[in-house]
Amino acid sequence: MPDEEILEKGVLNPVQPEIQDPLLRTLLAEEPIATNTPQEQPQAVEPEADEVDCVVIGLGAGGAPLLARLAQAGLKVVALEAGPWHNPETDFATDEKAQDFLFWNDERLAAGGDPLAMGKNNSGTGVGGSTLHYTAYTPRPLPDDLHVRRDFGQGEDWPVSYEELEPYYNEVERFIGVSGPTPYPWGPARSQGYPLAPLPLNSAAQLMVRGAEKMGIKTSPAANAALSARYYQEGVGWREACTNRGFCQAGCSNGAKSSMDVTFIPLAVKHGADIRPNSFVTEIERDARGYVTGVVYTQNGEQKRQRCRHLFLCGGSVETPRLLLLNELALTSGQVGRNLMAHPGLQVWGTFADEVRPNKGIPGGLISQDTHRPKDADFIGGYLLQSIGVMPVTFAGQVARGRKLWGQPLRDYMRNFNHIAGINILGDCLPHANNFLELAEEKDARGLPKPRLHFTAQENEHRMNAHAEKIMRGIWEAAGATDIWSFQRYAHVIGTARMGRSGDDAVVDANGRAFDVPNLYISDNSTFPSALSVNPALTIMALSLRTADKFLESLK
Amino acid sequence: MSAPTYPSGTVRALLATPHVSDATRTALQARLDAPVAYEPQFLAPETFALLEAVAARLFPQPDRPDSPIAMAPGVDQRLTEGRADGWRYDALPPDREAYRLGLGGIQEIAQELFQTDFMGLNVEQQDAVIQALAGGTPPGTTWETLDAGRFFEEMLAELTETYYAHPLAQEEIGYVGMADLPKWSKIGLNEKEEREPSLSS
């Protein structure tokens, strides 16, 4: 206790916890407790005889689509996923705590003026990656999202145009089964409508319609990758419609949410992809020319090696740069870990006389993109507005952190749960020199340095948040809410290995191929040159398919 | 406490119905059945008792005098196993150290303000100690190096999530989202299924 402090040196999450407590230490010395965590032992790694065409690291929105594409092309592919392979029906309880194994719970250090919450906020583990707990909210970016610098003189343009991406958006929406409005009210006319009708509006969405109409703001049912009707999925069979369970920010137990494990991964498996769950990659091996030759990974406590002709790194904006930094790979541009962006995700909550029951229905039910390029904006870029539903534990945690309530006032406020509804934004973010990821000295359970993320919202994000808060408060007041409060948050870590036209200022080219390493590709939101004013999952999947196609072309 | 709530027994009754999946029932029943007595494994007994006392002020439960929802065991178990939730404020030391330093710091605030250990204070005084901590600039040398605001936020968030994960706390706020089989069809304003009980004051 306070009288006998023993400083613990930099280890959290250790495989064998260092015991600080003097009493416990004494007790354990007499009778050690058994630990069921497998212990890492240094060991010689025998090379596997087989060299495969491609290894894919990470099976989220970045890795799964291209894995399927490569397997369909007849290549021999192995996928290494850090987390386990779940059975949604038996593993996914309707309970937030019971599902926290879906989050990337290895500790990341959050630094800067606006430290980023990680884990359930934005990163996942398991066959399916973060799509196992994404809200399935899949709006497309609007074409001008891809050229913020051209339009505003700040930020960065994409080396890929909307026109090049559009066929891939069409394909992804069609394949995974996106429910949404046709025609879509914002942006250019689309060559293809959504394959399924929108999901029904829940009460938060109905309230937002009520308020937005009075404010003259146009709204529409949102696009969600959750099925509004039964849908046939290649490799899976018929998938059942959404049951309005409202648990999208955890795992979907009936497969209606289009996570990778019920869409692209079964397709990949059908075409012969070798999926290896519980496989954590630590090392990327190279030959004298600098080409990747294979990877070393730990599977269920055993160290293994897989040789490959091409490597696809799809670990997300934290694990991807972390692996590059750990292996001193693709660092010539100096951009690995830099340009870290996070979507402004400000939420405004209100209390209504009506019964809301905010846990029912798809959380992101209603959208407005009237704020995509607001006329009165004093900032660059824009944002979307969205009604939000919420699960109780997540909401309570936000109330504690954001509203600073404790004691009886916290319990009293939470008793209004069934009368609370929220709106949030998802806005663009500009890269800034102060926002970056680095390896910390502090080690994790595997003895590897923990990632440290520096994030401080800049003037542009502050102005966007202020603009948005005014509008959201206006909508809720117009809808009849009382006790309105805002929760400042940032979601989706983006941009730590960006794509560009030149290796001088980018890590990968427009096709996802590393400028430094000809047989290394990156496919996830670390390559986004700008954050986009929409959720990233759909674009990650579209880019993933495009990267696969460009790679396959290069083999010809 | 006049806000609406569900009648006592609502969630227990729902757990026995086919509206709850096996996985969900298992998770919730385990929390309902958790033994009252808990022997701390990581924290020293007096440290654990202090954490319990702090938790009792962060979540006062005069309505459950004999069997309050326990929050401190969850913290002790997590620290024992070295589990994390995916991130930590860089401003804080590792969780084990933060809890030990922070709880020691709470004793220090109690001593500075009232010249008595936290456990020896009445509830108003205890609340004053916590308010000083929550305010971000409490007295005591601990807080010269440990960020009081961040520590308080982290501890409060962890206890809050433990509290509201408990079926009885969920009953208290009128949440029956666990009973989601076969589906929710009435999801609009002022709509509810038959299995969603009426609220009572």
PDB file of all heavy atoms in Angstrom, chain A residues 391-415:
ATOM      1  N   MET A 391     -25.646   1.038 -26.049  1.00  0.00           N
ATOM      2  CA  MET A 391     -25.791  -0.032 -25.060  1.00  0.00           C
ATOM      3  C   MET A 391     -25.455   0.559 -23.684  1.00  0.00           C
ATOM      4  O   MET A 391     -24.698   1.518 -23.585  1.00  0.00           O
ATOM      5  CB  MET A 391     -24.846  -1.177 -25.418  1.00  0.00           C
ATOM      6  CG  MET A 391     -25.018  -1.656 -26.858  1.00  0.00           C
ATOM      7  SD  MET A 391     -23.886  -2.992 -27.318  1.00  0.00           S
ATOM      8  CE  MET A 391     -22.312  -2.154 -27.369  1.00  0.00           C
ATOM      9  N   PRO A 392     -26.017  -0.026 -22.630  1.00  0.00           N
ATOM     10  CA  PRO A 392     -25.960   0.657 -21.323  1.00  0.00           C
ATOM     11  C   PRO A 392     -24.564   0.820 -20.728  1.00  0.00           C
ATOM     12  O   PRO A 392     -24.264   1.867 -20.157  1.00  0.00           O
ATOM     13  CB  PRO A 392     -26.834  -0.229 -20.426  1.00  0.00           C
ATOM     14  CG  PRO A 392     -26.851  -1.562 -21.085  1.00  0.00           C
ATOM     15  CD  PRO A 392     -26.758  -1.290 -22.560  1.00  0.00           C
ATOM     16  N   VAL A 393     -23.714  -0.188 -20.827  1.00  0.00           N
ATOM     17  CA  VAL A 393     -22.402  -0.092 -20.174  1.00  0.00           C
ATOM     18  C   VAL A 393     -21.539   0.951 -20.888  1.00  0.00           C
ATOM     19  O   VAL A 393     -20.884   1.781 -20.251  1.00  0.00           O
ATOM     20  CB  VAL A 393     -21.717  -1.471 -20.130  1.00  0.00           C
ATOM     21  CG1 VAL A 393     -20.305  -1.357 -19.575  1.00  0.00           C
ATOM     22  CG2 VAL A 393     -22.548  -2.444 -19.294  1.00  0.00           C
ATOM     23  N   THR A 394     -21.572   0.910 -22.205  1.00  0.00           N
ATOM     24  CA  THR A 394     -20.841   1.909 -22.978  1.00  0.00           C
ATOM     25  C   THR A 394     -21.333   3.308 -22.636  1.00  0.00           C
ATOM     26  O   THR A 394     -20.543   4.229 -22.406  1.00  0.00           O
ATOM     27  CB  THR A 394     -21.049   1.649 -24.492  1.00  0.00           C
ATOM     28  OG1 THR A 394     -20.523   0.367 -24.793  1.00  0.00           O
ATOM     29  CG2 THR A 394     -20.353   2.695 -25.338  1.00  0.00           C
ATOM     30  N   PHE A 395     -22.650   3.456 -22.587  1.00  0.00           N
ATOM     31  CA  PHE A 395     -23.202   4.778 -22.293  1.00  0.00           C
ATOM     32  C   PHE A 395     -22.804   5.236 -20.888  1.00  0.00           C
ATOM     33  O   PHE A 395     -22.377   6.379 -20.696  1.00  0.00           O
ATOM     34  CB  PHE A 395     -24.724   4.765 -22.438  1.00  0.00           C
ATOM     35  CG  PHE A 395     -25.343   6.120 -22.217  1.00  0.00           C
ATOM     36  CD1 PHE A 395     -25.092   7.152 -23.107  1.00  0.00           C
ATOM     37  CD2 PHE A 395     -26.156   6.364 -21.117  1.00  0.00           C
ATOM     38  CE1 PHE A 395     -25.638   8.416 -22.911  1.00  0.00           C
ATOM     39  CE2 PHE A 395     -26.708   7.624 -20.911  1.00  0.00           C
ATOM     40  CZ  PHE A 395     -26.455   8.648 -21.804  1.00  0.00           C
ATOM     41  N   ALA A 396     -22.922   4.344 -19.921  1.00  0.00           N
ATOM     42  CA  ALA A 396     -22.586   4.716 -18.541  1.00  0.00           C
ATOM     43  C   ALA A 396     -21.123   5.140 -18.440  1.00  0.00           C
ATOM     44  O   ALA A 396     -20.790   6.117 -17.753  1.00  0.00           O
ATOM     45  CB  ALA A 396     -22.873   3.548 -17.597  1.00  0.00           C
ATOM     46  N   GLY A 397     -20.251   4.419 -19.124  1.00  0.00           N
ATOM     47  CA  GLY A 397     -18.828   4.775 -19.098  1.00  0.00           C
ATOM     48  C   GLY A 397     -18.597   6.168 -19.669  1.00  0.00           C
ATOM     49  O   GLY A 397     -17.793   6.948 -19.159  1.00  0.00           O
ATOM     50  N   GLN A 398     -19.342   6.490 -20.729  1.00  0.00           N
ATOM     51  CA  GLN A 398     -19.203   7.822 -21.326  1.00  0.00           C
ATOM     52  C   GLN A 398     -19.742   8.904 -20.405  1.00  0.00           C
ATOM     53  O   GLN A 398     -19.187   9.996 -20.326  1.00  0.00           O
ATOM     54  CB  GLN A 398     -19.938   7.873 -22.668  1.00  0.00           C
ATOM     55  CG  GLN A 398     -19.273   7.012 -23.709  1.00  0.00           C
ATOM     56  CD  GLN A 398     -19.895   7.144 -25.091  1.00  0.00           C
ATOM     57  OE1 GLN A 398     -19.488   6.468 -25.991  1.00  0.00           O
ATOM     58  NE2 GLN A 398     -20.886   8.012 -25.245  1.00  0.00           N
ATOM     59  N   VAL A 399     -20.832   8.597 -19.716  1.00  0.00           N
ATOM     60  CA  VAL A 399     -21.396   9.564 -18.771  1.00  0.00           C
ATOM     61  C   VAL A 399     -20.379   9.853 -17.663  1.00  0.00           C
ATOM     62  O   VAL A 399     -20.146  11.003 -17.289  1.00  0.00           O
ATOM     63  CB  VAL A 399     -22.711   9.031 -18.168  1.00  0.00           C
ATOM     64  CG1 VAL A 399     -23.180   9.916 -17.016  1.00  0.00           C
ATOM     65  CG2 VAL A 399     -23.794   8.943 -19.247  1.00  0.00           C
ATOM     66  N   ALA A 400     -19.738   8.781 -17.185  1.00  0.00           N
ATOM     67  CA  ALA A 400     -18.742   8.956 -16.121  1.00  0.00           C
ATOM     68  C   ALA A 400     -17.573   9.803 -16.609  1.00  0.00           C
ATOM     69  O   ALA A 400     -17.148  10.745 -15.948  1.00  0.00           O
ATOM     70  CB  ALA A 400     -18.257   7.594 -15.631  1.00  0.00           C
ATOM     71  N   ARG A 401     -17.065   9.461 -17.790  1.00  0.00           N
ATOM     72  CA  ARG A 401     -15.890  10.181 -18.287  1.00  0.00           C
ATOM     73  C   ARG A 401     -16.237  11.585 -18.774  1.00  0.00           C
ATOM     74  O   ARG A 401     -15.542  12.549 -18.491  1.00  0.00           O
ATOM     75  CB  ARG A 401     -15.270   9.427 -19.466  1.00  0.00           C
ATOM     76  CG  ARG A 401     -14.529   8.161 -19.083  1.00  0.00           C
ATOM     77  CD  ARG A 401     -13.874   7.556 -20.321  1.00  0.00           C
ATOM     78  NE  ARG A 401     -13.351   6.227 -20.080  1.00  0.00           N
ATOM     79  CZ  ARG A 401     -12.145   5.983 -19.569  1.00  0.00           C
ATOM     80  NH1 ARG A 401     -11.344   6.987 -19.260  1.00  0.00           N
ATOM     81  NH2 ARG A 401     -11.733   4.742 -19.381  1.00  0.00           N
ATOM     82  N   GLY A 402     -17.330  11.683 -19.530  1.00  0.00           N
ATOM     83  CA  GLY A 402     -17.607  12.931 -20.226  1.00  0.00           C
ATOM     84  C   GLY A 402     -18.443  13.897 -19.431  1.00  0.00           C
ATOM     85  O   GLY A 402     -18.313  15.113 -19.585  1.00  0.00           O
ATOM     86  N   ARG A 403     -19.318  13.377 -18.575  1.00  0.00           N
ATOM     87  CA  ARG A 403     -20.211  14.279 -17.862  1.00  0.00           C
ATOM     88  C   ARG A 403     -19.741  14.539 -16.450  1.00  0.00           C
ATOM     89  O   ARG A 403     -20.280  15.367 -15.738  1.00  0.00           O
ATOM     90  CB  ARG A 403     -21.627  13.700 -17.839  1.00  0.00           C
ATOM     91  CG  ARG A 403     -22.608  14.784 -18.119  1.00  0.00           C
ATOM     92  CD  ARG A 403     -24.029  14.464 -18.069  1.00  0.00           C
ATOM     93  NE  ARG A 403     -24.714  15.755 -18.052  1.00  0.00           N
ATOM     94  CZ  ARG A 403     -25.997  15.923 -17.909  1.00  0.00           C
ATOM     95  NH1 ARG A 403     -26.782  14.886 -17.765  1.00  0.00           N
ATOM     96  NH2 ARG A 403     -26.516  17.124 -17.898  1.00  0.00           N
ATOM     97  N   LYS A 404     -18.746  13.767 -16.071  1.00  0.00           N
ATOM     98  CA  LYS A 404     -18.112  13.923 -14.770  1.00  0.00           C
ATOM     99  C   LYS A 404     -19.113  13.799 -13.625  1.00  0.00           C
ATOM    100  O   LYS A 404     -19.043  14.506 -12.628  1.00  0.00           O
ATOM    101  CB  LYS A 404     -17.360  15.259 -14.666  1.00  0.00           C
ATOM    102  CG  LYS A 404     -16.514  15.587 -15.886  1.00  0.00           C
ATOM    103  CD  LYS A 404     -15.035  15.741 -15.528  1.00  0.00           C
ATOM    104  CE  LYS A 404     -14.167  16.023 -16.731  1.00  0.00           C
ATOM    105  NZ  LYS A 404     -13.839  14.849 -17.542  1.00  0.00           N
ATOM    106  N   LEU A 405     -20.081  12.887 -13.811  1.00  0.00           N
ATOM    107  CA  LEU A 405     -21.014  12.627 -12.714  1.00  0.00           C
ATOM    108  C   LEU A 405     -20.510  11.456 -11.890  1.00  0.00           C
ATOM    109  O   LEU A 405     -19.910  10.526 -12.420  1.00  0.00           O
ATOM    110  CB  LEU A 405     -22.401  12.266 -13.259  1.00  0.00           C
ATOM    111  CG  LEU A 405     -23.185  13.350 -13.992  1.00  0.00           C
ATOM    112  CD1 LEU A 405     -24.527  12.788 -14.458  1.00  0.00           C
ATOM    113  CD2 LEU A 405     -23.395  14.558 -13.093  1.00  0.00           C
ATOM    114  N   TRP A 406     -20.733  11.487 -10.603  1.00  0.00           N
ATOM    115  CA  TRP A 406     -20.443  10.337  -9.746  1.00  0.00           C
ATOM    116  C   TRP A 406     -21.394  10.373  -8.564  1.00  0.00           C
ATOM    117  O   TRP A 406     -22.076  11.358  -8.331  1.00  0.00           O
ATOM    118  CB  TRP A 406     -18.972  10.339  -9.288  1.00  0.00           C
ATOM    119  CG  TRP A 406     -18.541  11.552  -8.504  1.00  0.00           C
ATOM    120  CD1 TRP A 406     -18.090  12.733  -9.018  1.00  0.00           C
ATOM    121  CD2 TRP A 406     -18.543  11.709  -7.073  1.00  0.00           C
ATOM    122  NE1 TRP A 406     -17.811  13.609  -8.005  1.00  0.00           N
ATOM    123  CE2 TRP A 406     -18.063  13.015  -6.801  1.00  0.00           C
ATOM    124  CE3 TRP A 406     -18.889  10.872  -6.009  1.00  0.00           C
ATOM    125  CZ2 TRP A 406     -17.929  13.498  -5.490  1.00  0.00           C
ATOM    126  CZ3 TRP A 406     -18.749  11.351  -4.705  1.00  0.00           C
ATOM    127  CH2 TRP A 406     -18.266  12.655  -4.462  1.00  0.00           C
ATOM    128  N   GLY A 407     -21.466   9.254  -7.852  1.00  0.00           N
ATOM    129  CA  GLY A 407     -22.360   9.194  -6.691  1.00  0.00           C
ATOM    130  C   GLY A 407     -23.824   9.153  -7.110  1.00  0.00           C
ATOM    131  O   GLY A 407     -24.163   8.740  -8.219  1.00  0.00           O
ATOM    132  N   GLN A 408     -24.687   9.628  -6.228  1.00  0.00           N
ATOM    133  CA  GLN A 408     -26.127   9.565  -6.496  1.00  0.00           C
ATOM    134  C   GLN A 408     -26.520  10.265  -7.806  1.00  0.00           C
ATOM    135  O   GLN A 408     -27.365   9.761  -8.544  1.00  0.00           O
ATOM    136  CB  GLN A 408     -26.905  10.163  -5.308  1.00  0.00           C
ATOM    137  CG  GLN A 408     -28.379   9.795  -5.296  1.00  0.00           C
ATOM    138  CD  GLN A 408     -28.604   8.287  -5.228  1.00  0.00           C
ATOM    139  OE1 GLN A 408     -28.010   7.592  -4.422  1.00  0.00           O
ATOM    140  NE2 GLN A 408     -29.447   7.769  -6.116  1.00  0.00           N
ATOM    141  N   PRO A 409     -25.913  11.422  -8.138  1.00  0.00           N
ATOM    142  CA  PRO A 409     -26.289  12.067  -9.413  1.00  0.00           C
ATOM    143  C   PRO A 409     -26.040  11.172 -10.622  1.00  0.00           C
ATOM    144  O   PRO A 409     -26.806  11.204 -11.589  1.00  0.00           O
ATOM    145  CB  PRO A 409     -25.388  13.313  -9.455  1.00  0.00           C
ATOM    146  CG  PRO A 409     -25.108  13.618  -8.019  1.00  0.00           C
ATOM    147  CD  PRO A 409     -25.013  12.277  -7.345  1.00  0.00           C
ATOM    148  N   LEU A 410     -24.983  10.354 -10.580  1.00  0.00           N
ATOM    149  CA  LEU A 410     -24.717   9.431 -11.693  1.00  0.00           C
ATOM    150  C   LEU A 410     -25.810   8.364 -11.770  1.00  0.00           C
ATOM    151  O   LEU A 410     -26.366   8.080 -12.831  1.00  0.00           O
ATOM    152  CB  LEU A 410     -23.335   8.791 -11.525  1.00  0.00           C
ATOM    153  CG  LEU A 410     -22.945   7.681 -12.505  1.00  0.00           C
ATOM    154  CD1 LEU A 410     -23.090   8.124 -13.958  1.00  0.00           C
ATOM    155  CD2 LEU A 410     -21.513   7.218 -12.257  1.00  0.00           C
ATOM    156  N   ARG A 411     -26.145   7.797 -10.623  1.00  0.00           N
ATOM    157  CA  ARG A 411     -27.209   6.777 -10.626  1.00  0.00           C
ATOM    158  C   ARG A 411     -28.538   7.382 -11.073  1.00  0.00           C
ATOM    159  O   ARG A 411     -29.281   6.770 -11.823  1.00  0.00           O
ATOM    160  CB  ARG A 411     -27.374   6.172  -9.222  1.00  0.00           C
ATOM    161  CG  ARG A 411     -26.346   5.087  -8.915  1.00  0.00           C
ATOM    162  CD  ARG A 411     -26.676   4.355  -7.621  1.00  0.00           C
ATOM    163  NE  ARG A 411     -27.818   3.446  -7.761  1.00  0.00           N
ATOM    164  CZ  ARG A 411     -28.424   2.864  -6.735  1.00  0.00           C
ATOM    165  NH1 ARG A 411     -28.006   3.079  -5.496  1.00  0.00           N
ATOM    166  NH2 ARG A 411     -29.442   2.056  -6.928  1.00  0.00           N
ATOM    167  N   ASP A 412     -28.812   8.593 -10.601  1.00  0.00           N
ATOM    168  CA  ASP A 412     -30.080   9.231 -10.980  1.00  0.00           C
ATOM    169  C   ASP A 412     -30.139   9.487 -12.477  1.00  0.00           C
ATOM    170  O   ASP A 412     -31.159   9.243 -13.119  1.00  0.00           O
ATOM    171  CB  ASP A 412     -30.261  10.554 -10.219  1.00  0.00           C
ATOM    172  CG  ASP A 412     -30.557  10.327  -8.741  1.00  0.00           C
ATOM    173  OD1 ASP A 412     -30.900   9.183  -8.374  1.00  0.00           O
ATOM    174  OD2 ASP A 412     -30.428  11.287  -7.951  1.00  0.00           O
ATOM    175  N   TYR A 413     -29.036   9.984 -13.023  1.00  0.00           N
ATOM    176  CA  TYR A 413     -29.047  10.277 -14.454  1.00  0.00           C
ATOM    177  C   TYR A 413     -29.236   8.996 -15.268  1.00  0.00           C
ATOM    178  O   TYR A 413     -30.004   8.961 -16.225  1.00  0.00           O
ATOM    179  CB  TYR A 413     -27.762  10.999 -14.878  1.00  0.00           C
ATOM    180  CG  TYR A 413     -27.735  11.274 -16.369  1.00  0.00           C
ATOM    181  CD1 TYR A 413     -28.589  12.215 -16.936  1.00  0.00           C
ATOM    182  CD2 TYR A 413     -26.908  10.548 -17.225  1.00  0.00           C
ATOM    183  CE1 TYR A 413     -28.620  12.443 -18.309  1.00  0.00           C
ATOM    184  CE2 TYR A 413     -26.927  10.762 -18.596  1.00  0.00           C
ATOM    185  CZ  TYR A 413     -27.785  11.715 -19.131  1.00  0.00           C
ATOM    186  OH  TYR A 413     -27.804  11.914 -20.487  1.00  0.00           O
ATOM    187  N   MET A 414     -28.531   7.946 -14.855  1.00  0.00           N
ATOM    188  CA  MET A 414     -28.607   6.690 -15.617  1.00  0.00           C
ATOM    189  C   MET A 414     -30.012   6.070 -15.591  1.00  0.00           C
ATOM    190  O   MET A 414     -30.359   5.285 -16.461  1.00  0.00           O
ATOM    191  CB  MET A 414     -27.575   5.685 -15.101  1.00  0.00           C
ATOM    192  CG  MET A 414     -26.158   5.921 -15.599  1.00  0.00           C
ATOM    193  SD  MET A 414     -26.016   5.876 -17.419  1.00  0.00           S
ATOM    194  CE  MET A 414     -26.449   4.155 -17.752  1.00  0.00           C
ATOM    195  N   ARG A 415     -30.789   6.451 -14.612  1.00  0.00           N
ATOM    196  CA  ARG A 415     -32.164   5.920 -14.557  1.00  0.00           C
ATOM    197  C   ARG A 415     -33.042   6.490 -15.664  1.00  0.00           C
ATOM    198  O   ARG A 415     -34.158   6.013 -15.893  1.00  0.00           O
ATOM    199  CB  ARG A 415     -32.776   6.166 -13.182  1.00  0.00           C
ATOM    200  CG  ARG A 415     -32.157   5.223 -12.145  1.00  0.00           C
ATOM    201  CD  ARG A 415     -32.519   5.620 -10.732  1.00  0.00           C
ATOM    202  NE  ARG A 415     -33.912   5.300 -10.441  1.00  0.00           N
ATOM    203  CZ  ARG A 415     -34.291   4.488  -9.464  1.00  0.00           C
ATOM    204  NH1 ARG A 415     -33.394   3.901  -8.708  1.00  0.00           N
ATOM    205  NH2 ARG A 415     -35.558   4.262  -9.239  1.00  0.00           N
TER     206      ARG A 415
END
